[in-house]
Amino acid sequence: MNDERAMQQQPGRTPAPPHLKDGPGPGSPEAAALDATWRDPPGLLGWLAAVNHKAIARRFIVTTFCFFVAGGLLAFVMRLQLARPGARLVGPDLYNQLFTMHGSTMMFLFAVPVMQAVAVYLLPLMLGTRSVAFPRLNAFAYWIFLFGGLMLYAVFALGAAPDVGWFSYVPLAGPDYSPGKRTDFWAQMITFTELSALLEAIVVITTVFKLRAPGMALNRIPLFAWAMLVTAFMVLFAMPAVMLASTTLITDRLVGTHFYNPAEGGDAVLWQHLFWFFGHPEVYLIFLPGLGFLSAIIPTFARRPIFGYTAMVLALIATAFLAFGLWVHHMFAVNLPELGKSFFTAASMLIAIPSAVQIFCWIATLCSGRIDFKTPLLFALGFFFILVLGGLTGIMLASVPLDLQVHDSYFVVAHLHYVLIGGAVFPLFGAFYYWYPKITGRLMSERLGRWNFWLFFVGFNVTFFPMHLLGLRGMPRRVYTYQAGLGWDTLNLVATLGSWVIALSALLFVVNALRSLRRGAPAGPNPWGAGTLEWATESPPPPCNFHAIPVVHGRDPLWEPPRTAADGGQPPFTHVGGLAAHTRELLATTVLDARPDLRVNFPDPTIWPLVSALAVTVLFIGSIFTPWAVVWGSIPIAIALTAWFWPRRAETAVHLRLEQGP
């Protein structure tokens, strides 16, 4: 691609096309003007009105990590209860609330949102642009997520938390067996969080497709961007199923419909089909971003480009397709046709192939490189061991006869945690250590990081490996106590001791992160010597991310060789010039080849996404108590959205000046 010629081929009414030039320096007047333009307003009102993707992503990350700690504390209490037979730390009702809140927190308030939060921070930096698409929608998605999580924990504090499991099976969750409002709050929490996830998916897809730097064709984007793009498309297809399921559940409970009532022509198994059509892809909604983290970390510390880029991309896409054909994997104990079960057994085994392709590509990258064993890479290597073991037990559970024997036992609990923590939390910790210097400008302590890794690795295996044996010895899930002499005592005690080690590791991570904010070594723009674009700007990045939009010539722009001796060993960057500095103007590019397409003016910060989220929250919570809340609650939402999209005279004047040109 001829970048200079491409930059001059701008369609539409843009009179002054951007041109290639060297970017302005950080201290130049143009850079100062860009920073002032893209910076969120000061003060409390400015904080509430913020739309900068980095600010929203930091709030998302901190909020999801707080929910992670809360969910971990709930699990810790459960382990204390089960450490000895006949314990009376908590009663059966509170225990039901604990395991429901723990599962709901980890699956809906932590695992998927934190992956999307990291993507919202990193993708514009990786793709060489100044913002995510739809920045106000991004802010709205955060507020909706926050209010949904706070609602769930508020009812938990009031003793009215849901108590029917994080999958809320009917008829147990129906009006006959679960009176009161507990399940209704759970169903509305689903609506909150899945609405937020759908909005973030729209933001991610549009950002990856239309806001890439010129020259960054689809075969040049980082594998992390591919992973998040595939995940976002999965969200669009998976989340509506669980939103439909939770909505029909709440109408059964509050309005008197009979979607899941067999006596009136409904079907209780319909709930399982709808829920697990979302539930099994959700495992990969958590897993695929983790693979993207590893595909960023491993090449950096192997000091070589990723092996098998095309195979890695195809493996991500194949995993997404196969993930939607596995949901009956969770329903082998249901009275379904045996021939149908055999097809899902085959699909459950087949999905291991694309995952294996990626693992072999990472191993090839490491074997052909010069490995630097830093903390992020340690968590990546820990992922290999944990995920392979979890994958092996997944292949075992794909066998219908074995699944029937261990269904709803602690063997399934062990498998679930090996897959989810191995496939998500280990890569996530590695990602925190890897990108922490980019977010804060300081490095985390390497010594504390190694302690964090080894304590977490050992504590995890001590906690969850004995659960395989407990399941094979017949210990069922979701029991709050057990009798002595069943052969479960020692294994439960060992698992509880392991949970103490995990808690110590998590505490050490928090100490390391907070300590490094002030006392960490200054990072510089690229402390790891990585090759992707997020390391081409300052640490932490300026409000506009890049003072000049770079033009990309390869998959690893910072590792591209210099074109002339005058480059002085620096990457051969050319930059896009001609974009306005006094307004939030961005360059949109074509989907396939990232050729310059349009100049887009982005909206300024506003309080209306927050106001709209509050109005939606009132409607959702009010509908738990009366269906009329849907009618009357629509009025403030309409007012808030009208104010949100109402054009401001100053912004309109800027748009007209840009269209008319100089």
Side-chain angles (χ1 to χ4, degrees):
M1 168 182 173
N2 187 320
D3 294 297
E4 302 242 10
R5 183 176 60 195
M7 294 302 302
Q8 297 169 1
Q9 295 176 343
Q10 291 233 41
R13 301 175 58 189
T14 306
H19 53 277
L20 296 180
K21 66 172 188 177
D22 293 331
S28 66
E30 184 180 352
L34 282 167
D35 289 345
T37 298
W38 287 90
R39 186 176 290 114
D40 286 322
L44 176 60
L45 188 61
W47 187 86
L48 296 174
V51 296
N52 186 286
H53 75 97
K54 297 183 292 296
I56 300 301
R58 285 194 298 267
R59 297 176 195 178
F60 246 126
I61 292 170
V62 172
T63 304
T64 54
F65 192 76
C66 289
F67 283 130
F68 173 73
V69 172
L73 292 174
L74 298 176
F76 189 65
V77 174
M78 288 190 289
R79 287 312 324 160
L80 291 177
Q81 166 67 17
L82 295 172
R84 303 299 300 167
R88 298 182 179 273
L89 179 64
V90 297
D93 180 64
L94 179 55
Y95 190 86
N96 287 341
Q97 295 182 53
L98 290 174
F99 75 70
T100 302
M101 288 289 296
H102 168 71
S104 300
T105 298
M106 293 305 192
M107 299 301 288
F108 298 110
L109 298 178
F110 170 69
V112 174
V114 74
M115 300 301 185
Q116 292 183 315
V118 175
V120 164
Y121 191 97
L122 291 175
L123 282 178
L125 296 166
M126 282 187 167
L127 301 176
T129 188
R130 289 173 176 160
S131 175
V132 294
F134 313 120
R136 292 181 178 180
L137 190 67
N138 183 44
F140 175 76
Y142 168 72
W143 293 117
I144 284 288
F145 164 76
L146 175 65
F147 296 150
L150 292 178
M151 176 199 71
L152 186 67
Y153 272 83
V155 297
F156 178 60
L158 296 174
D163 57 353
V164 290
W166 74 273
F167 33 73
S168 198
Y169 277 172
V170 294
L172 179 63
D176 294 332
Y177 296 95
S178 184
K181 297 297 182 183
R182 290 183 171 189
T183 303
D184 301 326
F185 280 108
W186 179 90
Q188 289 298 62
M189 183 273 298
I190 297 297
T191 308
F192 272 104
T193 56
E194 305 320 311
L195 173 60
S196 174
L198 283 169
L199 298 177
E200 291 292 0
I202 293 169
V203 168
V204 167
I205 291 171
T206 311
T207 302
V208 174
F209 275 160
K210 291 300 295 179
L211 296 184
R212 304 195 305 275
M216 188 178 282
L218 282 181
N219 63 348
R220 289 179 176 175
I221 67 175
L223 284 171
F224 174 72
W226 268 114
M228 291 311 307
L229 179 64
V230 172
T231 301
F233 274 107
M234 291 181 68
V235 167
L236 290 184
F237 287 98
M239 296 301 183
V242 73
M243 293 179 73
L244 174 63
S246 64
T247 302
T248 51
L249 173 63
I250 204 169
T251 57
D252 272 12
R253 294 176 54 83
L254 300 180
V255 182
T257 57
H258 299 284
F259 290 100
Y260 306 114
N261 183 3
E264 299 291 340
D267 188 359
V269 177
L270 173 63
W271 169 268
Q272 294 195 40
H273 282 294
L274 288 173
F275 185 85
W276 289 118
F277 186 79
F278 145 82
H280 199 91
E282 190 190 26
V283 173
Y284 294 92
L285 298 180
I286 301 166
F287 178 58
L288 290 183
L291 303 184
F293 294 152
L294 297 182
S295 294
I297 293 169
I298 288 175
T300 296
F301 294 101
R303 298 291 180 231
R304 62 146 291 163
I306 194 74
F307 178 88
Y309 176 93
T310 304
M312 296 282 280
V313 173
L314 293 176
L316 289 169
I317 297 172
T319 300
F321 274 104
L322 290 171
F324 283 94
L326 304 181
W327 78 92
V328 177
H329 176 107
H330 298 266
M331 300 171 58
F332 284 162
V334 177
N335 186 25
L336 298 175
E338 296 301 323
L339 180 60
K341 293 179 183 179
S342 66
F343 286 109
F344 287 94
T345 293
S348 299
M349 296 182 177
L350 186 63
I351 201 168
I353 295 176
S355 299
V357 167
Q358 295 182 80
I359 290 175
F360 285 127
C361 287
W362 290 323
I363 292 174
T365 304
L366 290 168
C367 290
S368 58
R370 292 172 290 130
I371 302 176
D372 186 9
F373 287 99
K374 298 291 187 181
T375 300
L377 186 61
L378 290 180
F379 278 101
L381 297 178
F383 156 89
F384 287 158
F385 177 85
I386 301 297
L387 182 75
V388 167
L389 186 54
L392 289 175
T393 56
I395 297 295
M396 296 167 64
L397 289 171
S399 170
V400 176
L402 178 65
D403 185 87
L404 290 174
Q405 294 298 316
V406 299
H407 187 76
D408 266 349
S409 75
Y410 260 80
F411 190 93
V412 178
V413 175
H415 160 72
L416 177 69
H417 286 83
Y418 264 84
V419 170
L420 292 182
I421 296 182
V425 179
F426 270 86
L428 187 63
F429 272 121
F432 278 142
Y433 279 95
Y434 182 63
W435 280 297
Y436 185 88
K438 176 53 58 181
I439 297 173
T440 66
R442 295 185 179 274
L443 290 161
M444 295 181 74
S445 167
E446 187 68 19
R447 184 156 87 53
L448 291 179
R450 291 175 182 271
W451 274 100
N452 178 198
F453 167 74
W454 286 110
L455 286 173
F456 193 72
F457 183 82
V458 172
F460 172 83
N461 284 287
V462 171
T463 300
F464 293 105
F465 189 82
M467 293 185 187
H468 293 99
L469 305 178
L470 284 168
L472 293 175
R473 294 185 181 186
M475 183 172 179
R477 303 168 67 181
R478 300 184 292 276
V479 292
Y480 85 103
T481 190
Y482 55 93
Q483 296 178 350
L486 297 176
W488 305 342
D489 310 26
T490 302
L491 292 173
N492 270 301
L493 180 60
V494 169
T496 300
L497 293 175
S499 69
W500 282 82
V501 180
I502 292 177
L504 178 60
S505 174
L507 178 62
L508 194 62
F509 171 78
V510 173
V511 170
N512 194 359
L514 295 178
R515 175 181 175 275
S516 299
L517 274 176
R518 295 183 176 274
R519 301 176 57 186
N526 191 0
W528 309 120
T532 44
L533 273 183
E534 75 270 25
W535 303 103
T537 187
E538 305 162 46
S539 299
C544 63
N545 292 346
F546 298 91
H547 291 118
I549 304 299
V551 177
V552 173
H553 303 281
R555 285 179 185 157
D556 297 291
L558 301 188
W559 288 352
E560 291 293 309
R563 293 185 173 184
T564 66
D567 292 320
Q570 297 300 314
F573 276 152
T574 47
H575 293 85
V576 176
L579 294 176
H582 62 280
T583 187
R584 299 185 175 216
E585 189 177 30
L586 281 185
L587 178 66
T589 52
T590 58
V591 173
L592 293 179
D593 296 327
R595 294 174 180 267
D597 188 20
L598 298 169
R599 291 165 64 163
V600 184
N601 197 259
F602 270 43
D604 292 328
T606 177
I607 198 69
W608 289 109
L610 170 59
V611 176
S612 301
L614 286 170
V616 172
T617 301
V618 171
L619 184 150
F620 283 167
I621 296 179
S623 66
I624 295 175
F625 300 95
T626 172
W628 284 103
V630 177
V631 177
W632 298 111
S634 301
I635 297 174
I637 293 176
I639 295 172
L641 291 179
T642 301
W644 178 344
F645 290 102
W646 196 268
R648 292 174 53 201
R649 183 171 299 178
E651 289 182 356
T652 303
V654 170
H655 295 173
L656 291 174
R657 285 201 305 272
L658 290 172
E659 288 183 356
Q660 293 167 0

